[in-house]
């Protein structure tokens, strides 16, 4: 896990530096808006770190994961005088954000004491592991990975909207803008279905446990039906798809397949690989049948385990 974290932090430095040199350089307006957003990034990162240290709840970033991108995209839309394609990009991100915020809220993540609520179960496990059980080491992990890395990642995968302020970017909505927007909405709907299937399974499982009823099909402990029969993480797969498609807006805006705004979606794919590795390690240790599920079911892409 430590090696994975170090690789993620390294990629956060290397990938943006590499992609910065691709495509048309930023104009004065883009630099001004980028600077404003960077200030917000620094403030949000600092607040998340301080609240996490004070409350011992290190999931402060989770509470804003689906909210802060809305600020970034609408800030750019405002700077661009609400040009139609900027508004379209902001709207699809808002649909994504509202859906994800709802899913997070119904699990008890938001309380009137906003710094409380559900903490990612993996942090509790990681805090007990050798190396991470040192208070100072954990504080550094909270600062550099949980808060700085993830907040910067959110900032980066929102950046394709900034290409809409480029000198050559069309202000009118193009055909491919509509195609990308529609595809993102479809991905959000699929993600909603996947999360609902998991929510229904876990709700019924714990209802039976608490009432002392036989678990029956819920005895295996994890959902492997519906979309979860096709891949082990349909919700993660769609989350990555949303932001890969969102990068597509920058291609339409710049006419360049590779440009400086691609770092975010690439880093998100790397993050979900490491995140799912850790989650599956814990799940396999808890539920014996999960190893067999891993053998026969692809992680993110359906129908990629032929002959198994």
């Amino acid at each position: 896990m430590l090696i994975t974290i170090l690789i993620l932090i390294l990629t956060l430095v290397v990938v943006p530096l590499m992609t910065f040199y691709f495509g048309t350089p930023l104009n004065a307006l883009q630099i001004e808006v980028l600077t404003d957003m960077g200030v917000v990034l620094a403030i949000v990162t600092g607040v998340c770190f301080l609240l996490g240290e004070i409350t011992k709840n290190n999931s402060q970033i989770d509470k804003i994961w689906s909210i802060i991108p809305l600020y970034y995209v609408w800030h750019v839309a405002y700077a661009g005088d609400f040009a139609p394609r900027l508004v379209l990009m902001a709207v699809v991100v808002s649909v994504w954000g509202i859906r994800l915020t709802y899913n997070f809220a119904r699990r008890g993540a938001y309380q009137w004491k906003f710094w409380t609520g559900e903490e990612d179960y993996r942090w509790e496990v990681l805090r007990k592991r050798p190396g991470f059980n040192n208070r100072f080491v954990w504080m550094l992990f909270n600062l550099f990975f949980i808060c700085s890395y993830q907040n910067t990642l959110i900032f980066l995968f929102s950046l394709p909207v900034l290409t809409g302020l480029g000198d050559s970017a069309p202000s009118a909505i193009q055909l491919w803008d509509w195609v990308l927007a529609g595809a993102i909405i479809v991905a959000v709907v699929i993600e909603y279905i996947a999360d609902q299937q998991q929510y229904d399974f876990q709700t019924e499982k714990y209802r039976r446990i608490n009432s002392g009823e036989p678990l029956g099909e819920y005895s295996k402990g994890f959902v492997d039906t519906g979309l979860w029969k096709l891949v082990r993480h349909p919700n993660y797969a769609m989350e990555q798809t949303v932001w890969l498609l969102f990068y597509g807006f920058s291609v339409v805006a710049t006419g360049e397949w590779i440009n400086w705004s691609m770092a975010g979606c690439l880093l998100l794919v790397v993050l979900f690989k490491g995140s799912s590795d850790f989650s599956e390690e814990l799940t396999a240790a808890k539920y014996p049948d999960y190893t067999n599920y891993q053998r026969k079911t692809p992680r993110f892409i359906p129908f990629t385990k032929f002959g198994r």
Side-chain angles (χ1 to χ4, degrees):
M1 182 62 187
L2 180 59
I3 294 176
T4 300
I5 292 166
L6 291 174
I7 292 173
L8 288 172
I9 293 174
L10 179 63
T11 56
L12 183 63
V13 176
V14 174
V15 174
L17 286 176
M18 291 178 61
T19 57
F20 181 77
Y21 293 99
F22 286 98
T24 304
L26 279 67
N27 60 30
L29 177 58
Q30 287 173 312
I31 293 174
E32 179 184 349
V33 174
L34 184 66
T35 302
D36 293 341
M37 294 163 65
V39 172
V40 173
L41 166 63
I43 293 172
V44 171
T45 299
V47 171
C48 286
F49 172 69
L50 290 175
L51 286 177
E53 289 299 300
I54 293 170
T55 64
K56 310 305 179 188
N57 181 336
N58 295 119
S59 284
Q60 304 303 321
I61 179 64
D62 295 340
K63 303 176 193 301
I64 61 169
W65 181 279
S66 57
I67 297 173
I68 198 66
L70 275 63
Y71 159 74
Y72 291 140
V73 295
W74 283 107
H75 181 91
V76 174
Y78 170 78
D81 294 325
F82 297 105
R85 69 186 312 274
L86 291 176
V87 172
L88 177 64
M89 295 174 75
V91 167
V92 295
V93 171
S94 298
V95 171
W96 163 86
I98 292 169
R99 203 289 311 174
L100 191 57
T101 301
Y102 161 74
N103 187 66
F104 196 50
R106 66 177 174 172
R107 290 157 42 195
Y110 298 109
Q111 307 290 336
W112 72 270
K113 294 181 179 179
F114 62 88
W115 55 88
T116 61
E118 181 185 68
E119 183 186 49
D120 191 322
Y121 70 95
R122 294 171 295 183
W123 298 149
E124 181 62 27
V125 173
L126 198 58
R127 271 194 293 262
K128 297 176 181 178
R129 292 194 172 182
F132 292 100
N133 57 6
N134 179 284
R135 184 71 190 90
F136 180 70
V137 171
W138 184 260
M139 182 187 71
L140 293 178
F141 176 73
N142 182 33
L143 174 61
F144 289 107
F145 179 74
I146 299 179
C147 297
S148 298
Y149 181 92
Q150 295 192 76
N151 268 301
T152 304
L153 177 58
I154 294 171
F155 174 76
L156 290 174
F157 66 58
S158 304
L159 279 188
V161 70
L162 195 60
T163 62
L165 297 179
D167 296 330
S168 61
S171 59
I173 299 175
Q174 309 294 301
L175 172 62
W176 280 109
D177 290 320
W178 288 117
V179 172
L180 289 166
I184 289 173
I185 297 301
V186 170
V188 170
V189 171
I190 295 174
E191 188 175 12
Y192 167 78
I193 294 171
D195 279 336
Q196 187 64 45
Q197 289 174 345
Q198 184 180 57
Y199 182 83
D200 291 342
F201 180 92
Q202 295 296 337
T203 299
E204 177 62 16
K205 181 182 76 172
Y206 283 106
R207 187 197 67 79
R208 294 190 180 198
I209 290 174
N210 294 332
S211 63
E213 296 180 26
L215 291 179
E217 62 183 297
Y218 298 91
S219 60
K220 60 181 173 294
F222 57 92
V223 59
D224 61 352
T225 56
L227 294 174
W228 301 80
K229 186 175 183 178
L230 298 176
V231 291
R232 304 198 300 272
H233 303 280
N235 50 353
Y236 286 2
M238 289 302 100
E239 185 73 5
Q240 296 169 78
T241 300
V242 164
W243 295 105
L244 288 169
L245 289 169
F246 192 69
Y247 172 72
F249 282 112
S250 74
V251 176
V252 177
T254 63
E256 300 160 343
W257 284 98
I258 300 177
N259 62 71
W260 50 263
S261 71
M262 74 182 304
C265 63
L266 295 180
L267 290 171
L268 189 67
V269 171
V270 175
L271 176 70
F272 271 110
K273 170 61 170 63
S275 176
S276 59
D277 280 344
F278 189 30
S279 298
E280 292 197 344
E281 174 192 338
L282 300 179
T283 304
K286 188 175 181 180
Y287 304 115
D289 287 343
Y290 196 79
T291 302
N292 184 53
Y293 177 59
Q294 288 175 300
R295 281 197 296 266
K296 67 181 182 180
T297 309
R299 186 188 303 242
F300 295 132
I301 305 176
F303 313 117
T304 54
K305 286 200 172 185
F306 301 106
R308 298 193 180 188

